[in-house]
Structure formats: structure tokens, C-alpha cells
Amino acid sequence: MRPFFSSQTLILAGCSLFVLYLAGIPLLMLLYGSFRSAPIGEPGAAYTIQNYVKAYFDREFYLLFWNSLKYAIGTCVISFLIGTYLAWISERTNTPLKKLFMVMSLIPFIIPGILSTIAWILLLSPKIGLINIVVKGLLGLESAPFNIYSMGGMVWAEAIHLYPLVFLLMSAAFRNMDTSLEEAALTAGSSTFTTFRRVTLPLMRPAMFGVMLIMFVRGIEAFEVPALVGVPAKISVFTTKIFLAIHQFPSDFGLAGAYAVTLLLISTVGVLIYQRVTRKEDRYATVTGKGYRPRVIDLGPWKYATCASAFVIFFLAVILPVFVLLWSSFIPYYGIPSAELVAKLTLANYKYILNYPLAVTAFQNSFYLSVGSATLVMLLTSVIAWITVKSKLPGRVFLDNMTFIPIAMPGIVLGVSLIWVYLTLPIPIYGTIWVLLLAYITKFMPYGIRAASASMIQINKELEEASLASGGTWFQTFRKVLLPLLMPGFVAGWIYISIISLRELSTSILLYSYNSTVLSIMAFDLWEGGQYTYVCALGVLMVLLLVAMAYTARKLGAKIGIAE
Amino acid sequence: MAEKRQMVQIESLEKYFGEDKERVHVLKGISLSIPEGSLYTFLGPSGCGKTTTLRCVAGLERPEGGKISIDGNAVFASGERVYVPTNKRPIGMVFQSYAIWPHMTVFQNVAYPLTIHRRPKSEIKRRVEDVLKVVGLHGLEDRPAPKLSGGQQQRVAFARALVNEPKVLLLDEPLSNLDAKLRVQMRFEIKALQRRINITTIFVTHDQSEALAISDQIAVMHAGKLIEVGTPHQLYSRPTRKFTATFLGLTNLIEGKVIEMGGDSKPGRIETKKGILSFIPATSLGRNQAAVISIRPEHIPVHKEKPQGLDNVVEGTVKEAIFMGDAYHCQIAVGDMLLAVHTHPFLNMSPGEKVYLYLDPQSCNGIPAEDTEGMDESIMGD
């Protein structure tokens, strides 16, 4: 009989319990802490609903709510329009240079949110914005035409950063459409436009709705743009309010908790609706699996116009921000390009950064956290994927759902909960790099499980059974048969997680300390300190690091095109 | 005949699939016994439970009731809560998809059972090379698995199953994925291999010609139940169940009521719509019992003129005669019955002709008429 403490039981139970701990405890602590009258660990705490009362009855609350909603919806709509337009011309028309589109659409993924925000401030700030200065000069205007410190400016900065995600998702949706359904409409006599209206659109509706939901959730949990642009502009949203509540003196943990729970509720509802919608989508499933090439619409001479428009978008989304970052990193003090400044191009900023003691620490920390969290997440989720996909163990559905909880948790909310967890539990990792590691593992688990599950499903059960029939234990089977065969998904997940962990800010910002600082936090600090040129140099180095990682990853044969 | 040792014993196996409303009873009390060194086939249509039974013996499925023993040791006993996991059973298994690991070479695939038991490298090398010679793949040790043809993959699967000298070899439809010609060729290679190393083998298939060709014994299964067990010859010539008669080869079924039971050498007599026929009882039948005569199309001689001095002669009209090259496949109407008859290709058969059929009592099997459980009542079996 199998011994109770076999390696199989230990590994399976260990991983499951770890996942439950990671996903469940922060949630519980958050709820608990929001109902306490004093910060956790301090005497005199009692159960109370004062935090919520204070939060909801504050007039500011409704302003917050309204701003957050406006911001999220605005981001959702703009990014959706841009992304879907690009996806449509890429997948369904004969616009030339499509391969270039794919590559250029993925570049914004590599640029961390904080850097693109900084770039857009440097472009559209009313006083120092590059675009403003140039346009003002060209058109002889009195005042700057664009102001980033407005709701419109914020929405623009976020949307232009997020549209690549829409592009990926909608491209996939367009690609999976069975065009024979459209062709049937055409043979029945309807025009191209009518076909689009009565066949294509309805078929795409579930996908479109799903994508918009994701973007809405993204908008509501966004942090970088609201923190760097919204705060100076006095436009507050939930995420920045939570941040400020913690960073003010004295910290108002209770209030932060109440707001965090509220934000969590909104994003959870969004995610649940999304899951419900995508499940129903099976009814609209149009994948035939026979490799149909979707019918491509001939645009005639218009195809040059669409191609040009795509390049305009890339120029705005990629070239401009990268340019302004590069430019600012090579000049001694901030200013618009002029002959005088060009003469003063220097490497001083880079020298400063590379000699800045904290910078070395930040690079090391970011690198270790990136590699560490990616590896641990993929190992953990490989085991979990086996449980949920291959085994008949009881409770596997529950475990599957638990691994997805972090998706509904905005980064800042996770940060708040983890503060509480590690101030309460007698595990002395608060303020160290280990709490950041745990936070990253929690946050990126859902991405890992998706990659691992997709790969696990494709492994024929008989390959596993053959190992058992040959005498192998569960662990030998996992190590020698499953893991090697899982490699494509493992590597793809690893690459994705290593890259997004380098960009992470909203969770780290509440959990870091001097010695556990990471690159994105350092950029944030430099910016807040007004060190524009230094932060741009740091930014360029960050992007180079990310590009190097992505390139090496590519070489290892995995594609970054994993849609959410 | 000396009592042969039973290598695998299965008693009253019960298995259900699914939960609640979708619960399906897939094994309904299967009991059988497999002698050492025999090539024992589970034969039946899709869904009859043959693969499930095999997987229960392997330990890949866990039955709800019953007992399974291998070489005298219980590997599963629901009463005593015994359950030996797959990797501890003395078995070797060839899967329908072969399940050759694509990330390993031929050598690594075949060596796996020995590698995980930490045998010394020299021993592994020797044993793998020996077994590769046996299956005819000597020289291909370093070929990566994805570069093998279907037939080669199958041999690798066999080699891997045999390398650790198991007591029982389990074959789950190993020939289904091969093209027809290879299938026929591999059939005999498997039989020759099995005989040479004398390993107890359980072979699962839905192909009755395959089963007839290579088995020492066949267990016919249908809808989760064991229908009949016998040698290929017994099951083909003297089936005792209606399902066996119709599943193995083609047959004609003539219904009637038993008048005389018959016995060892005396034929029985049965009253049918076309008169009284003599028959050989396959199993004991009682007087007045509803029974069915099974007679194979190739066992019915056709006469253009009525033969004299013979019992069991019926008159009929040729409805269809299809030339198949080695025979005529005819449908002959006898009254309101339609009999399938295979005749010599030189015998000219044309529709509308009047002929006489001799139903040799030696070829007439008397089988109990049963509830068919949704079985096809037509005369032509498959």
C-alpha cells in the first residue's frame, strides 16, 4: 500500500496548501483589517464599521468613485478603439506590412508603465511638454494646446499604453472567426456592410464584451498614471487614495482597508462577469480547427491609408515616448531639443545612475525577484496544473478557482493586505525582499497556471500511464515525462512572468524598504524628486534590460504572444 | 489435461463511470481466469468493457467491486480493501497510441522501466539491446522517438513492455492504428513473439478476425457482461450464445421450438416455420424451449435439384447473388426468411432461380433464444 508520506502526497499537499495560503490569507486579512478600529498589532483594537462609515460618508468618496469610473471607462473605450482598429486592419484586410504591425504592437509591452507615464508627461505637460512647445511654436499659440494634467490626458496616457493588449486579444478573436459564416450571408445576397452588421458584429460581440471588461478592470486598478499625473492634477482615484492613506502621517490603515475592499469588490464583479461571458462564448465558438484563413477584405487604394494610419499610431505610441526618454537621458538638464542642447549631449546621467549605490541594489533586487518569481511560479503552477487537469483528486476545482483570485486583486490592494498579513503573522519578512517575492508569486500565479494548464492539457494521458505501467512513481513520472513535455508552456510562462515582474510597481510600492528597493520604485522616487534626466537614464537602462531578456527568451524558442 | 496454473484471476468485477445522473454501469460482474502462457483475447464491440477490464488489471482504473489476482497475489480486492498501485504490479503494457515519449530516444524509452529501478548501467544496456533484437529494432537505439514510423513505434512500445520481464503483458488494441497490410503482418509477429517467450498476454480488440487468428482463448464481451469464453474454433463452430454467433463472422439465425433435446451423438430436433430440422445442441436445451439455429453461410451447400435421402433440405429462391471473387454471396429467400449463403464461384447463381439448400445437422448449432437487449435481430451477423 502506498505510504501516507510518499513524495507524491507531500508535493501535492504542499503545493496546494501553499497556493491556498498565498491566495486566501491576504484576502481574509484584508477583510478582517478593514473592520478593525486600530492598526493591526496595536492595542485597543476592536471590531468596528467606522472605517466604512468614514469612507462612504465622506463627500470625497463619491468624487473618487466617479473619477475612477470615468477613468476606467475612458481607458477602456479609447484602448479598445485603437486596438480593435489595428487588429481589424491586421487580420481582416489586405493592408501591407502586417508582420511589422505584430512586432511594433508588442513593443509597448516591454516599456514599464511608469516610464511611459513619465514620457507622456514630458511630452504633454503644459509647461515643459515637448509636443506642446513644438505645436505652440508652429501655430503661434498663446497657451499650450494639450494638458496632460486632466482626465483626458490621463485617459490618453493609460490607453496608449494598454492598447497592445486589446490588439492581441482582438486579433485572436478575428483570427478564430469562421468566415464561411460571412460567406454564407454574401451568397444569400447581403452586401458587405449588411454582412458586417448582421453577421460579423453579433458573432464578435462576446469577444468584444470580454475584452472591454478586461480593459475596464485594468483601468480601475491602474496606478502609475493616476499617481504621477492624477495626484498633481488633484484628480484622485481609488488606487491613489489608498496609496496616500498609507503614506500620509499617521497612516490611516482602516480607511485604506475600507477603500481597498471597495475596489476589490468592483474588480471582482468585473472579473466574474468576464468569466461568465467567456463561458457562454462557447455557444458562439467559431473555431473550426481546420485552419481556415479568414476572408481578407480588399481595400483597394485605401490600404495605403490604413497602413499609414497604423504607423501614425506606432509613432505616437512607441517612437515619441522612446525618443523623449532617450533625449532626456543624454542631456545635462531638462529642455527641448535645440542646437544648444544638442551640443551638450553627455553620458553624465548614466554615470550617475551606475554609480548610485542604491541603483546597483535595485538592479540586483529586480533581477533576482524577476528570475526567482518566474521560476517558483512556474514550478508551483506546473504541479497545480497536474492536479486540476490530470488528476481526479477532490477539491481540484476549488484549488483552480483559488489560483485565479489574485487576478481580481488590484496591485495596491494586494499590497495593503500583505502589509497586514506580515505585520500580524510571526513571520519576520515584512520590509525584506522576501515579502516582495511572496507578493510577486501571488500576483503572477494566474498567468503561470494559464500557461501550465494549456500545455498540460495537450499531453496525452497515455504518456503518463505508460510511465506508471513501467513501474515509475508519481514523482518520477512528473520529473521525467511530464515536466520535459511541459517545457513549451513552462518557458512561455516563465518569460512572461519575468518581464511583467520587472515592471511591477503598485504592489511593491507599499512593501518595499531601502534594501529591498526595485527598479520601478527607484524610478518613481527619482521622478518625485524632480530628477528628470536621471530617471530617464534609469528608464533607458531598464528598457535595455527588458529587451535583452525578451530577446534571450525569444531565442529559447518561446513566443511572447500569450494573450491574457 | 493437466491443470494449468492460472496467472490472472478476475472475480465479479464491478465498475461504474460518472457521477449521479450520469452514472454508467460499465462492468457488470466480470469473472474469468487466464492460464499461464496463453494469449487471451478480450473481444467485443466498442463500449463493451473490454478496455476497462484491461485497465482494471493494470491498475489504471479502480473497480467498485470484485477481486483481481496476478500470479496468486491479490492486486485488488474490494472486500479486504486491497489495492496495489499500477507501478507495483508485475505488468508490461502496450497502449493504443503506443505512448512513446517524444523527448527520449528509442534506447531511453525502452530502458525506462530499468532506469527508474536503478539497475546498473551495464545491465540496462545488455537487457535493452537483447529486447530490441527480439522485436527487430536492433541498431535504432539512438533514434529520437518522433522520427519513428508507426510500425517502429509499436515495436518500441513492445520492447519497453517486455524489458523488465513482467508476468503479464497487456495489449490495448495495439494494431488499431496500423494500416491493413501492416496489421495482418504484425498479428503473426505478435503471436510468434508471445509463443517464443511464453508470456501470459491479454489482448484487447474489436476485430474478430484478428481475435480468431492469434488467440489461444477468446472472451467475448458485450455491454459490460461476459458472454462466452472459448477457443477460436469452439466459438466459431459451436457458439453457445446468440451474441457470439452473430459477432464472430456471419451467420443465419432460424427460430424455433425444441421438440427433442438431443445429446452427445444424437441430434436434436427443432420445429421451425420451414418444418422440422435436426441440429446439434451447443448447450443443453430443454423440450419446448425457444431456441435458435445458427448456421454459417459457408456451411450451406446449394443444389439445383432436390437432393434425395437427406434431412434438413429446404427450397428457396435466389434473391441476390453478388460475385466476390472467391465466392458468391447470395441472399436466398426461403418462405419469408432470407438466408445468407456463400457458394462456390463456379456455381452459376442468378436471381429468380429455384434452389435447394441442405442444412447439414452437423453445421446447425442449437442456441437458446434470449432477450436480445437491443441486439440486432437480423439474420446477418457482423
Side-chain angles (χ1 to χ4, degrees), chain A residues 1-2 460-474 476-477 479-481 484-485, chain B residues 55 60 81 83 86-87 91 93 95-97 99-104 112-113 115-118 160:
Chain A
M1 290 293 283
R2 211 186 312 145
N460 187 347
K461 195 163 212 278
E462 292 190 342
L463 291 171
E464 219 181 311
E465 291 176 343
S467 172
L468 292 177
S470 301
T473 63
W474 180 87
Q476 284 169 325
T477 308
R479 203 165 47 94
K480 287 170 167 276
V481 175
L485 292 173
Chain B
R55 288 169 65 88
L60 294 168
R81 312 280 223 86
Y83 178 69
T86 306
N87 54 346
I91 57 169
M93 186 158 172
F95 291 82
Q96 192 170 356
S97 70
I100 301 301
W101 298 304
H103 58 294
M104 299 186 193
Y112 189 86
T115 320
I116 51 169
H117 282 121
R118 316 230 164 128
R160 178 177 65 190

